[in-house]
Amino acid sequence: MIPIPEEQKVPLASVYMQAKAELWFQGHLEKSGMPSWSELTIIILRRFEDLDYERVVYEFNMLRQETTVHEYLIRFEELESHMLIFNKNLDETFFMMKFISGLKEEIKGYVATMNPTTLDQTIVLARRQENIVNALLRKINQQQKNNQSKAPFKPQNKSLPYKTSFKPSFKPRDEASQPRRFLTEAEVRARKEKNLCYKCDEPYSPGHRCRIRQVHMMLSEEEAKAYEELKIR
């Protein structure tokens, strides 16, 4: 590309102006004279794109990533070009720091810790972190879907294999309602010699059960005498 001298840029650009643009430029020459190239670019943008310095600066400072890094970058580069029209002294470091500050929190921290030195490096790091975050979110969403698809555990109500109507026929009686019988030592010895049950008058053998159950109490000789005296009274 052949470089064009600065003083020839405006006359050369005016050659390509047609219709309303040509009439507008002729009117501007009569009012203000021949502008410089930088002045012409600002004048044209203000006239045909409604470009205002204060509005551009405000939008540039308020720019934040709301969707993807790609969409954020498109708007950033558009405002970057407008900022350079008004101030050519803005360097790459200024735009790099502004680009980082407008990124989402989950991307901004990673990019800042990597200490990029150019805007291109910053853009690459931002896209890389965005891919990592998106992959992690997809994994979390898939795990949540898998957990929701699993039926909750419900313990089965296992009934008894059979029901029994068995009721014990033996009903223990109150000890106070059972008849009591007192045995003296002599009666105990006599029953032992005859191999009789201490509780009933039937012969005793292993496994013996009394047909009529009674409560017996063994008395010593002194207790037996006292018991006999009470019976006499």
Side-chain angles (χ1 to χ4, degrees), residues 26-230:
Q26 292 297 330
H28 179 78
L29 290 177
E30 294 179 1
K31 292 179 181 179
S32 305
M34 182 67 70
S36 64
W37 175 248
S38 59
E39 292 174 343
L40 179 62
T41 54
I42 295 175
I43 294 171
I44 291 177
L45 289 173
R46 284 179 175 175
R47 172 62 180 81
F48 295 99
E49 291 192 13
D50 192 23
L51 187 64
D52 180 73
Y53 175 73
E54 288 76 12
R55 181 176 61 82
V56 170
V57 173
Y58 176 79
E59 290 185 9
F60 184 75
N61 291 333
M62 297 300 295
L63 182 62
R64 297 291 184 274
Q65 178 191 354
E66 297 180 358
T67 55
T68 64
V69 173
H70 178 71
E71 295 295 330
Y72 171 64
L73 178 61
I74 291 176
R75 183 56 179 164
F76 180 87
E77 289 178 337
E78 181 181 351
L79 292 174
E80 178 188 16
S81 62
H82 291 169
M83 290 288 292
L84 288 172
I85 290 174
F86 294 107
N87 189 352
K88 294 183 178 181
N89 295 324
L90 298 176
D91 57 8
E92 186 176 17
T93 302
F94 170 80
F95 290 108
M96 182 184 68
M97 298 305 296
K98 180 61 187 71
F99 184 84
I100 294 175
S101 65
L103 291 169
K104 290 182 178 180
E105 294 297 328
E106 60 268 24
I107 300 176
K108 180 196 305 183
Y110 168 78
V111 175
T113 56
M114 298 304 293
N115 296 320
T117 57
T118 65
L119 182 58
D120 289 339
Q121 291 179 358
T122 304
I123 296 171
V124 171
L125 292 172
R127 286 173 171 167
R128 181 185 303 170
Q129 180 65 6
E130 182 182 43
N131 292 334
I132 295 174
V133 172
N134 290 339
L136 181 60
L137 291 176
R138 286 193 297 268
K139 184 176 181 180
I140 294 175
N141 292 334
Q142 186 62 41
Q143 290 178 348
Q144 291 177 346
K145 290 180 180 179
N146 294 339
N147 294 336
Q148 292 175 357
S149 62
K150 293 181 180 178
F153 173 75
K154 294 183 179 180
Q156 298 179 354
N157 295 327
K158 295 184 178 180
S159 58
L160 294 174
Y162 62 91
K163 294 183 179 180
T164 177
S165 59
F166 171 77
K167 295 182 180 179
S169 59
F170 170 73
K171 295 183 179 180
R173 294 184 296 175
D174 186 6
E175 185 177 345
S177 64
Q178 298 180 5
R180 294 186 179 183
R181 185 176 179 182
F182 298 93
L183 298 177
T184 63
E185 291 183 1
E187 290 176 331
V188 171
R189 286 194 298 270
R191 286 175 179 272
K192 185 176 181 181
E193 291 174 357
K194 296 179 181 180
N195 197 28
L196 298 177
C197 178
Y198 293 135
K199 298 180 181 180
C200 64
D201 296 332
E202 296 181 359
Y204 177 81
S205 61
H208 169 74
R209 288 188 177 183
C210 301
R211 288 183 295 176
I212 300 176
R213 298 187 178 184
Q214 303 181 29
V215 178
H216 292 73
M217 298 181 65
M218 294 184 182
L219 303 177
S220 63
E221 292 183 359
E222 294 180 356
E223 292 174 338
K225 291 179 181 180
Y227 176 68
E228 292 296 333
E229 291 178 359
L230 290 174

Side-chain angles (χ1 to χ4, degrees), residues 13-32 43 47-48:
S14 64
V15 174
Y16 293 93
M17 295 182 183
Q18 299 177 2
K20 293 182 179 180
E22 183 179 5
L23 293 175
W24 166 82
F25 184 67
Q26 292 297 330
H28 179 78
L29 290 177
E30 294 179 1
K31 292 179 181 179
S32 305
I43 294 171
R47 172 62 180 81
F48 295 99

